[in-house]
Amino acid sequence: MRRMCHGHFQASKPVTRIAPIRYASFDHNAIRIQPVAATKGNIALDWFRSAAWVPSVPLHMRDSHRLPAMMSWFSSGGSETGSILLGDKLLSFGDVMLSYELVTSSDNYGLSAGCSLDCLQGFQTWLKDLSDEQHSHVLSELVDRLVNSAEAGHSHFLQFNAPLNFFTKAAQYNRDMNSPSCHIKQLYIAQSDIRSLPAPLREDLPVPDIVGQAGKGDIYNSSIWLGLQPTYTPLHRDPNPNLFCQLAGSKAVRLLRPRDGQFVFQDVRRKLGVVGNSRFRGAEMMDGPERDGLHHATWILPHPSREIWEAVLAPGDALFIPQGWWHSVRSVGRDAEINASANWWFR
């Protein structure tokens, strides 16, 4: 039986490395999408260092964590719907301010259409009908500002700060609406620092042992990612190693070696005639032609000379992304469902 330690990656004896799951490969003009090497269960820190940290290669660790947030923040909607619901503990912190992203868009490269203005206006009307509930009028005014910031028929990437209650109400609204065409989607609490959460929530995301002990123990930053599907991050790279843990729902991650990713990124930008820093997930890559171009080059028609790795993460899985490796992340599953992750950048 595997030993657990309050949601941490526990340094126990090494497990036998298992053969990677053979996800369906995408072959086009000799293109090969290959799965990231994988393990299952707890792994020893020394083994992790020799297998992934020192050689600087990605590692998919299946069923390797039980962070308390998985159980205390979410619950199941039952076998009939299969939906993920927000748990009472998370709902009790509705006033916590967080960083949001909202995409209202259509696209040509297979990216799911963003949240329409009609859906936002329907959500606003629904909020106004909750006149007996605290803060409903404040949230309604926020939706009004979002609607005014977007123009119908154009692609928009909106960033704003709002209470957690804004997300919980959007999820409740989706459950109340029978028609999927009315649902709020591509609403994402993104890159909200775990350290800024109230202590009871922060304690549900303890620093994994790999983060604290594999290297120098320096934590550069940490984030929660809580969204209404689809959620998406285009191809980019980070300045520090990254441990990405899936909490609810599923995500697919595609990765390229530093040199290959740099080639793809520069090729897309060269065709668009743009320049800029590629290290961070920035607003400039989240909207318009650059977003479409990066998506096409990563998920639709990758360059035949560049090798791409892929990992599909389930709740309890973690992915080690080495420093400088390029990666793009997208949710897997039905639109408007809840998806959640947490990550730590460390050295």
Side-chain angles (χ1 to χ4, degrees):
M1 180 180 295
R2 291 187 296 108
R3 292 181 293 151
M4 296 295 179
C5 183
H6 303 295
H8 289 261
F9 289 85
Q10 187 175 10
S12 58
K13 65 180 182 179
V15 297
T16 302
R17 184 175 177 179
I18 63 174
I21 290 177
R22 294 295 174 183
Y23 301 112
S25 296
F26 178 87
D27 290 287
H28 185 92
N29 295 333
I31 296 170
R32 179 72 177 176
I33 307 297
Q34 67 175 23
V36 172
T39 63
K40 186 173 183 179
N42 293 325
I43 61 174
L45 284 170
D46 287 344
W47 189 92
F48 170 79
R49 291 190 188 101
S50 63
W53 181 261
V54 173
S56 192
V57 294
L59 181 65
H60 181 185
M61 293 164 278
R62 298 194 189 98
D63 196 24
S64 59
H65 76 83
R66 281 294 179 267
L67 292 168
M70 291 177 60
M71 285 68 74
S72 61
W73 290 16
F74 308 101
S75 63
S76 172
S79 58
E80 293 185 1
T81 64
S83 297
I84 300 167
L85 304 178
L86 298 176
D88 291 340
K89 184 171 185 178
L90 202 59
L91 293 173
S92 67
F93 288 93
D95 291 335
V96 174
M97 295 298 293
L98 298 166
S99 301
Y100 281 79
E101 299 173 354
L102 176 67
V103 176
T104 61
S105 67
S106 60
D107 65 273
N108 298 319
Y109 294 117
L111 281 166
S112 177
C115 187
S116 72
L117 296 185
D118 287 344
C119 291
L120 285 174
Q121 290 166 343
F123 180 38
Q124 183 181 28
T125 300
W126 180 86
L127 285 169
K128 289 179 178 178
D129 290 340
L130 301 178
S131 57
D132 58 330
E133 295 201 19
Q134 187 179 16
H135 304 317
S136 61
H137 66 286
V138 176
L139 299 180
S140 176
E141 291 175 358
L142 172 58
V143 176
D144 188 57
R145 291 197 297 272
L146 294 174
V147 170
N148 291 335
S149 297
E151 298 174 5
H154 295 276
S155 175
H156 284 276
F157 172 68
L158 307 177
Q159 293 179 296
F160 57 97
N161 293 323
L164 174 61
N165 202 31
F166 185 75
F167 184 89
T168 64
K169 292 302 182 187
Q172 181 182 344
Y173 169 77
N174 285 348
R175 293 196 305 274
D176 287 352
M177 296 296 106
N178 293 325
S179 173
S181 63
C182 298
H183 289 167
I184 301 297
K185 55 185 179 179
Q186 292 207 40
L187 178 66
Y188 209 9
I189 296 172
Q191 289 184 298
S192 283
D193 195 336
I194 293 173
R195 295 169 296 185
S196 67
L197 296 175
L201 296 182
R202 192 168 61 246
E203 291 166 0
D204 287 338
L205 293 170
V207 176
D209 289 344
I210 283 177
V211 173
Q213 301 177 35
K216 298 178 180 179
D218 296 333
I219 300 176
Y220 174 74
N221 209 340
S222 60
S223 292
I224 59 168
W225 309 81
L226 178 60
L228 296 176
Q229 297 179 166
T231 63
Y232 179 73
T233 298
L235 188 69
H236 69 289
R237 60 178 176 175
D238 299 325
N240 291 289
N242 180 359
L243 186 69
F244 191 89
C245 299
Q246 191 63 14
L247 304 176
S250 180
K251 279 191 170 81
V253 185
R254 285 194 173 177
L255 307 99
L256 294 92
R257 293 184 183 276
R259 182 178 298 179
D260 288 343
Q262 185 71 25
F263 172 88
V264 171
F265 186 85
Q266 290 181 341
D267 185 57
V268 169
R269 288 202 152 192
R270 177 182 56 80
K271 292 174 181 177
L272 295 173
V274 297
V275 295
N277 191 338
S278 58
R279 281 188 174 272
F280 298 104
R281 179 185 189 275
E284 73 282 353
M285 65 173 63
M286 293 297 295
D287 189 19
E290 184 173 336
R291 180 177 187 256
D292 292 340
L294 291 171
H295 178 77
H296 188 266
T298 308
W299 296 94
I300 306 301
L301 189 61
H303 196 282
S305 68
R306 308 295 157 172
E307 196 169 27
I308 292 182
W309 281 260
E310 182 176 88
V312 179
L313 308 181
D317 287 5
L319 177 67
F320 171 65
I321 304 173
Q323 178 181 358
W325 277 66
W326 295 73
H327 51 285
S328 177
V329 186
R330 64 186 302 180
S331 60
V332 176
R334 295 180 298 180
D335 284 2
E337 290 290 330
I338 292 172
N339 196 302
S341 315
N343 83 294
W344 290 261
W345 292 280
F346 64 106
R347 294 176 284 217

